[in-house]
Amino acid sequence: MALTNDEFARQYGPWGLVVGASEGVGEAFAHTLAERGVNVVLLSRRKPNLDALAATLRERHGVETRVLAVDLSESDAVSRIVDGTVGLEVGIVLYGAGADSSPAPFLSRPVESALAMVQRNCVTSMAVAHHFGAAMVERGRGGIILVTSGSGLRGCSNMVAYSASKAFDLVMGESLWAEFNPEGVDVLSLVLSRTDTPALRRLMLAMGQIDSLDTPVPGATSPEETVARALENLDKGPTYLVGEKLAQSEQYFSTMTRNEGVRVMAEATRSLNTAAE
């Protein structure tokens, strides 16, 4: 049975931390928390976007907000997050940053770009889960949602660092669930398929696959629907695949060995690259 807003705020409030709040799923999650009466810490690199969102949330829902402009790939990211939330009882965390806006072959970029992805998606996310998870376990309530990707279910060409980092988040979330759930803390690895975010629209526009940034992505799940499914399944854990197509795809791959599945993905990527040439 769905929680009322008051019940939700008691279980997952009084503050929520949304990592990657400037747009897409993070922005939609921030709106949903505020609608349910939870104060929100908004975190991303883009402070102007966060300031605008914070003002909207305060005006519409009367909640308190706090803005943290942090680059999650920097070595001081965790200390800045900890310092920026001192004195706040954070009852829910969404870690939704770390998209790969321009897939490319592994060797076509300096290794530093891959290492920055690992820092952002793995090192910082683990430290955030450790810091806030400790307080949640002590209180015996709370929730952590790690946004991962279908790309992390098996190896993919042109997405080496991204796929690997999302696989890390997926298994980390499942492992945290095994430890935290008996202590009253909900953990969910939220596996996204194609989601109609501004980042995806920008990528598709650059690739000539849509006509403008106002064009919806065909067959994609909206950020709002993604957030709704996440909260519906937060107390069920440990893993939820968003979208019927992703669930069907995973069922298809379940009939193969892991090696066969990776080969199928590699061939599909080669076919797409050939068609684009």
Side-chain angles (χ1 to χ4, degrees), residues 28 34 63 86 99 175 231:
V63 297
V86 167
S175 302
L231 292 180

Side-chain angles (χ1 to χ4, degrees), residues 22 36 66 70 87 95 112 116 141 145 151 162 189 195-196 224 229 246 253 272 275:
S22 59
R36 298 194 178 197
R66 186 173 293 187
V70 178
Y95 199 98
E112 286 76 15
R141 63 176 180 83
I145 301 174
S151 301
Y162 180 73
S189 291
T195 308
D196 191 1
E224 292 74 20
R229 299 288 81 78
L246 182 57
F253 280 108
L272 286 173

Side-chain angles (χ1 to χ4, degrees), residues 22 37 39 46 55 60 62 68 79 85 93 103-105 108 149 182 191-192 202 238:
S22 59
N39 304 311
R46 291 176 285 182
R60 290 185 184 176
L68 297 178
S79 62
T85 54
V93 173
S108 68
S149 167
V191 186
L192 304 190
R202 288 192 294 269

